[in-house]
Amino acid sequence: MPGPPRLIELPNGTPVWLVTRYDDVHQVLSDPRFERAPVHAPDTPPIVDSPSLLDSRDSIGRQDGDAHLRLRRAVGRAFTPRAVEHMRPWVAGVVDQLLDGLVVQGPPADLVTDYALPLPCRVIHRLLAVDDVPIEQLFHWAEHAFAGATATPEEGDRARCELTDFTTALIAERRKDPGDDLVSSVVRATDHEGGISEATLVNLISTMIVGGHDTTMTMLSNSLLYLLTEQDKAWARLGSDEQAAEVLTERLLHLIPLGDREERPGHVLAATTDILLGGVMIRTGDFVTTDHVAANRDPAAFPGDPHDHDNLFTPLPKPSLAFGAGRHYCLGTWLARAELQLALHRLATRLPSLRLTITADDLVWRHGTVTRSPLHLPATW
């Protein structure tokens, strides 16, 4: 149950204030007096023993102030709601191509390997113009680029080196011969901006290459599992009402976490001055971490049963924290929303009798990464 900030210890013994209430989490994410960079300074012991790209000191999520603003300016224009609206027709085209393949192939099908995985991969292929990279390679890189603290290091080190080498060569190629793709745009913008290190640029592009499909694949797979096992009435409405599908998509993003909190704690920030937070005085230099899952379940912010059918099709009373808030709000959120909404609505429209052929108890899950979803979803119709 969400409550006032309380002191806990991270796995390495570092004391940190755990923030769980919606208003408190929103304050931490929005208040510039809480900073990320001091936590990851070169002379500071690592807070999280994780090889994930997201935990690198070069990650955009670890930057503050002007450094963070420069990076967001370099890539942000490509992911505005208006920019994503222009992408919707060709994203819908990708969805329809995959659905045509499912129908022609006929049942049975695997909703992960035949739908949830190839959809965002094809979108990223077109957006970044990396069509020569096989989907299997993207998936392999993502599994290791977003590895958690429990992952084995050897194969992961090789995969992350491969991804870094590929991205470094890709950046050099697009500098020499730019196109109208997102990588060329970001490289031009960062070079024009100045003050952005090559390591930071490589991390940013690498994260776009693998993160652009991992998040959407995870959310789509988990949403299909939830709807087809627990919300059969919602499935029928999802296919018949596009507006309802938009509201349901936002509810699913809010309701279903991307990963295990045990595998990846929330971002750790440092207070740069004394700050009153939820009735507790956080002192200068204290660390805080946020639990977005608990905050999204806070009954003070989101009353009622979130699994109730009517609630699933009722707009959220407050913005979800699924993609963060404030200055570090996830850049790809609008594209992820569009992909998820189109994928769910059009699948439910084309295959209204879709059902899984195994129970939730028989599922095999992906483990060892910062996201969590089923490896396979065998289904028929």
Side-chain angles (χ1 to χ4, degrees):
M1 192 72 172
R6 59 186 176 89
L7 270 176
I8 63 167
E9 284 189 357
L10 293 176
N12 69 352
T14 300
V16 61
W17 290 100
L18 176 64
V19 185
T20 57
R21 292 187 298 210
Y22 179 89
D23 288 343
D24 298 341
V25 171
H26 196 277
Q27 178 183 339
V28 170
L29 297 177
S30 305
D31 191 331
R33 296 175 298 172
F34 289 106
E35 293 189 352
R36 302 183 181 207
V39 180
H40 306 281
D43 58 347
T44 303
I47 292 295
V48 180
D49 183 19
S50 166
S52 170
L53 283 179
L54 302 175
D55 293 313
S56 166
R57 288 189 173 101
D58 296 312
S59 166
I60 187 173
R62 298 292 182 243
Q63 313 297 317
D64 291 307
D66 290 342
H68 177 251
L69 184 59
R70 283 193 294 268
L71 282 169
R72 290 192 75 95
R73 275 201 299 254
V75 70
R77 284 189 292 272
F79 292 111
T80 63
R82 183 176 180 180
V84 170
E85 194 61 33
H86 286 299
M87 299 181 199
R88 281 183 71 94
W90 64 260
V91 173
V94 172
V95 171
D96 288 341
Q97 287 174 2
L98 290 170
L99 288 174
D100 289 344
L102 283 177
V103 172
V104 169
Q105 167 190 307
D110 185 335
L111 297 179
V112 175
T113 59
D114 296 334
Y115 194 61
L117 175 58
L119 167 59
C121 285
R122 291 189 186 184
V123 171
I124 287 299
H125 273 168
R126 174 164 175 174
L127 193 60
L128 305 182
V130 290
D131 300 43
D132 54 331
V133 183
I135 286 178
E136 296 77 16
Q137 184 68 71
L138 283 176
F139 187 65
H140 177 71
W141 283 343
E143 288 293 286
H144 296 291
F146 296 135
T150 59
T152 54
E154 292 81 7
E155 186 180 3
D157 288 343
R158 285 195 299 272
R160 287 186 292 275
C161 284
E162 287 176 9
L163 175 59
T164 298
D165 290 345
F166 172 81
T167 304
T168 302
L170 181 65
I171 290 170
E173 173 194 317
R174 300 296 161 84
R175 274 202 181 104
K176 182 179 178 181
D177 185 20
D180 59 0
D181 59 281
L182 183 55
V183 175
S184 297
S185 171
V186 171
V187 170
R188 280 194 301 267
T190 53
D191 289 349
H192 176 75
E193 209 44 71
I196 298 172
S197 71
E198 196 70 5
T200 299
L201 178 59
V202 169
N203 181 280
L204 179 63
I205 300 295
S206 296
T207 302
M208 290 166 57
I209 290 171
V210 292
H213 87 269
D214 184 84
T215 299
T216 303
M217 178 204 70
T218 300
M219 273 307 310
L220 181 53
S221 299
N222 289 340
S223 295
L224 287 170
L225 173 62
Y226 174 67
L227 291 170
L228 294 173
T229 57
E230 299 184 39
Q231 297 288 349
D232 54 334
K233 292 181 180 178
W235 184 256
R237 187 171 175 184
L238 171 67
S240 62
D241 186 340
E242 190 164 5
Q243 268 194 324
E246 185 176 346
V247 175
L248 177 61
T249 297
E250 194 64 24
R251 281 280 181 174
L252 293 171
L253 288 168
H254 176 78
L255 187 62
I256 304 174
L258 280 170
D260 290 329
R261 284 174 282 184
E262 290 79 7
E263 179 64 43
R264 176 182 173 78
H267 285 297
V268 179
L269 301 91
T272 59
T273 186
D274 291 355
I275 303 170
L276 186 63
L277 177 67
V280 175
M281 182 59 69
I282 310 297
R283 299 297 180 185
T284 303
D286 283 359
F287 290 162
V288 301
T289 187
T290 56
D291 186 336
H292 293 202
V293 176
N296 278 338
R297 303 291 185 278
D298 188 345
F302 305 101
D305 179 2
H307 300 283
D308 180 80
H309 176 82
D310 290 335
N311 272 344
L312 285 175
F313 293 95
T314 302
L316 288 166
K318 292 190 176 185
S320 173
L321 296 173
F323 289 101
R327 61 202 181 281
H328 279 279
Y329 192 73
C330 177
L331 284 165
T333 178
W334 295 105
L335 180 58
R337 279 184 169 99
E339 290 181 73
L340 186 61
Q341 179 193 337
L342 288 165
L344 290 173
H345 172 62
R346 293 188 177 221
L347 178 62
T349 300
R350 292 283 292 274
L351 301 176
S353 61
L354 186 68
R355 63 190 185 279
L356 298 183
T357 57
I358 61 172
T359 66
D361 293 335
D362 296 323
L363 290 172
V364 178
W365 294 85
R366 289 190 303 120
H367 290 291
T369 69
V370 298
T371 58
R372 180 177 183 269
S373 63
L375 279 172
H376 301 283
L377 285 174
T380 190
W381 56 89

